[in-house]
Amino acid sequence: MLNFTRSRNQPRPSRSMPFGGMEYADPKRKSNVVGKILLAATLTALCILMLKQSSNFNTPSPFSRHEPGVTHVLVTGGAGYIGSHAALRLLKDSHRVTIVDNLSRGNLGAIKVLQEQFPEPGRLQFIYADLGDAKAVNKIFSENAFDAVMHFAAVAYVGESTLEPLRYYHNITSNTLVVLEAMAAHGVNTLIYSSTCATYGEPEKMPITEQTPQVPINPYGKAKKMAEDIILDFSKNSEMAVMILRYFNVIGSDPEGRLGEAPRPELREHGRISGACFDAASGVIPGLKVKGTDYKTPDGTCVRDYIDVTDLVDAHVKALNKAAPGKVGIYNVGTGKGRSVKEFVEACKKATGVNIKVEYLARRPGDYAEVFSDPSKIDHELNWTAKYTDLQESLRVAWRWQKAHRNGYGTTPLAMAS
């Protein structure tokens, strides 16, 4: 038997052994490192497996896929006065709703009300974004499966538009182009567009029909007409279903008291007459300033067609239901009856129970004397007619919300919107 022994002075083998031009580390030294790597790899694999097996990982967001029997509507400007009321109606009608708003004029409080009313998953989502950011808008369209767009988002004060015309052309005309391009790129083929009677300017004949020439006299009306022209030009060579609704003067609020109008305090000077009346009735301002008493109207003040917001959103829903590929519908949305500013103020006094102080001033730039609609086309084609036509009652409902919300929807940190 041979006994191989190593003398004390025999050198130890080196820590690495050459083989085929390569060196391999001693496994005894590396065993701990390899074990740690294997453990990490095993844990990672388990995590991935668990994620894949979870419903959230495998199931995409309901907003990202089309679902039979469910209409997913993008509501731009859905945190605003009219947009929030439209979103409420769409949700009540079991539609899926995505609201996009930059909150420059809208209220996050309105979004919170809608979320509280419809908390179920897949019903409502809010995305904080600016429609002037084409990259952001394209991303929104790429991540969501929209069936239709209701485009409300816009600055909308005649007086302000005469002071800041470029802002109006950018916000209304340019932003509409961004939305339209995104719709075309992502195959969204139904558009309900929020337009205005301001596109008609100051017509020679009343009432205004859809054939009345559009000759706007202020940047607000001009910007809206430009947006309409862009939509109509694009629709000529596409299968897009287009409905353009030209509003008259909007008043009122949700009859159940969930939503109302809460404009920015700094915009009171430019706001709707109803807001000014309520501010005067609640003592926020000392009285009401009526601008213009020398118009060619029965009492010298402007005459307008006041449409309740509940009727207005009903017109949108009927337009959505009737929208057809390759077809364009253009409709006036009004009551067909004109009321003077003085009549309006008297109705507001009765609705609020406050003897509002009134101061009469010179005309406001960009205003027109008399505007009221002929709504027969929308009645005939969409079976829509205004139901809330009692001016005093519409103001009473809106005043009820105003009294219950002295600070509007309150102040909510913008960080919560993301």
Side-chain angles (χ1 to χ4, degrees):
M1 180 176 178
L2 296 175
N3 182 22
F4 292 97
T5 59
R6 188 179 66 192
S7 63
R8 292 187 180 274
N9 59 359
Q10 186 177 351
R12 288 179 178 271
S14 63
R15 293 292 184 181
S16 60
M17 297 171 285
F19 186 81
M22 300 178 66
E23 289 190 348
Y24 286 82
D26 184 347
K28 290 181 179 180
R29 182 172 181 176
K30 295 296 182 181
S31 61
N32 288 339
V33 176
V34 172
K36 289 179 180 178
I37 292 173
L38 288 173
L39 179 61
T42 302
L43 289 172
T44 302
L46 285 171
C47 288
I48 292 173
L49 182 62
M50 290 172 66
L51 281 171
K52 286 186 175 181
Q53 289 177 344
S54 72
S55 59
N56 289 336
F57 190 90
N58 284 326
T59 306
S61 162
F63 295 95
S64 67
R65 67 179 188 274
H66 293 286
E67 185 175 329
V70 177
T71 302
H72 184 184
V73 184
L74 168 61
V75 179
T76 71
Y81 170 43
I82 300 170
S84 62
H85 282 77
L88 175 62
R89 171 62 189 273
L90 290 169
L91 289 163
K92 286 175 66 179
D93 288 357
S94 300
H95 294 305
R96 179 172 290 152
V97 174
T98 292
I99 290 173
V100 172
D101 202 301
N102 68 359
L103 302 178
S104 63
R105 296 289 165 92
N107 293 278
L108 191 56
I111 301 296
K112 292 178 68 178
V113 169
L114 293 171
Q115 289 172 334
E116 289 167 1
Q117 292 287 318
F118 301 93
E120 304 88 353
R123 295 302 314 281
L124 169 68
Q125 69 170 338
F126 170 62
I127 300 174
Y128 175 74
D130 193 313
L131 296 182
D133 184 344
K135 184 177 179 181
V137 172
N138 188 69
K139 184 174 185 290
I140 290 167
F141 273 80
S142 68
E143 294 177 351
N144 292 276
F146 300 126
D147 298 298
V149 175
M150 282 192 181
H151 183 29
F152 295 96
V155 285
Y157 296 125
V158 168
E160 184 186 46
S161 78
T162 64
L163 300 174
E164 300 182 66
L166 296 183
R167 179 179 189 175
Y168 272 66
Y169 292 122
H170 176 84
N171 180 274
I172 295 173
T173 310
S174 178
N175 287 5
T176 298
L177 178 58
V178 171
V179 171
L180 199 61
E181 287 174 333
M183 291 179 69
H186 296 277
V188 182
N189 295 318
T190 300
L191 174 64
I192 314 299
Y193 183 61
S194 165
S195 193
T196 171
C197 64
T199 62
Y200 294 115
E202 193 167 13
E204 294 180 0
K205 294 195 308 182
M206 287 292 138
I208 294 173
T209 71
E210 288 78 3
Q211 285 70 46
T212 297
Q214 290 178 288
V215 189
I217 63 173
N218 53 60
Y220 171 57
K222 291 175 183 177
K224 282 288 189 179
K225 183 181 183 302
M226 288 181 187
E228 282 191 19
D229 290 342
I230 293 169
I231 293 167
L232 294 174
D233 283 343
F234 175 70
S235 70
K236 291 174 183 176
N237 298 309
S238 76
E239 284 299 303
M240 179 169 283
V242 173
M243 291 291 198
I244 295 174
L245 303 184
R246 295 173 182 158
Y247 310 169
F248 286 68
N249 290 60
V250 188
I251 59 171
S253 65
D254 169 43
E256 295 184 36
R258 292 162 293 188
L259 299 170
E261 183 178 14
R264 295 282 188 272
E266 64 271 18
L267 294 169
R268 284 194 171 101
E269 186 69 18
H270 302 296
R272 305 175 199 275
I273 184 174
S274 56
C277 280
F278 295 149
D279 283 345
S282 60
V284 173
I285 57 177
L288 184 64
K289 297 179 179 180
V290 174
K291 298 181 178 181
T293 58
D294 59 347
Y295 291 98
K296 293 181 179 179
T297 59
D299 62 20
T301 61
C302 294
V303 170
R304 297 289 182 269
D305 188 340
Y306 296 99
I307 177 75
D308 192 286
V309 68
T310 301
D311 281 330
L312 180 62
V313 299
D314 184 56
H316 283 76
V317 170
K318 284 185 165 59
L320 177 63
N321 293 339
K322 289 283 188 177
K327 302 294 183 181
V328 175
I330 300 175
Y331 302 99
N332 291 334
V333 188
T335 66
K337 183 177 181 180
R339 307 286 187 87
S340 75
V341 171
K342 284 185 177 179
E343 284 183 272
F344 189 96
V345 172
E346 289 306 311
C348 194
K349 287 180 179 180
K350 292 176 181 177
T352 62
V354 179
N355 188 21
I356 299 168
K357 179 183 177 182
V358 183
E359 181 181 1
Y360 295 97
L361 304 173
R363 293 186 184 190
R364 181 175 65 176
D367 269 338
Y368 22 80
E370 188 176 36
V371 173
F372 61 95
S373 71
D374 176 355
S376 57
K377 182 183 178 185
I378 192 171
D379 182 9
H380 176 68
E381 295 186 9
L382 301 187
N383 192 31
W384 177 92
T385 186
K387 296 181 175 65
Y388 296 84
T389 56
D390 186 324
L391 182 59
Q392 185 177 320
E393 178 60 17
S394 289
L395 292 173
R396 188 192 66 79
V397 170
W399 174 241
R400 184 178 62 197
W401 188 89
Q402 294 290 331
K403 285 196 299 180
H405 300 81
R406 293 292 187 181
N407 296 315
Y409 289 101
T411 302
T412 306
L414 188 60
M416 292 182 64
S418 59

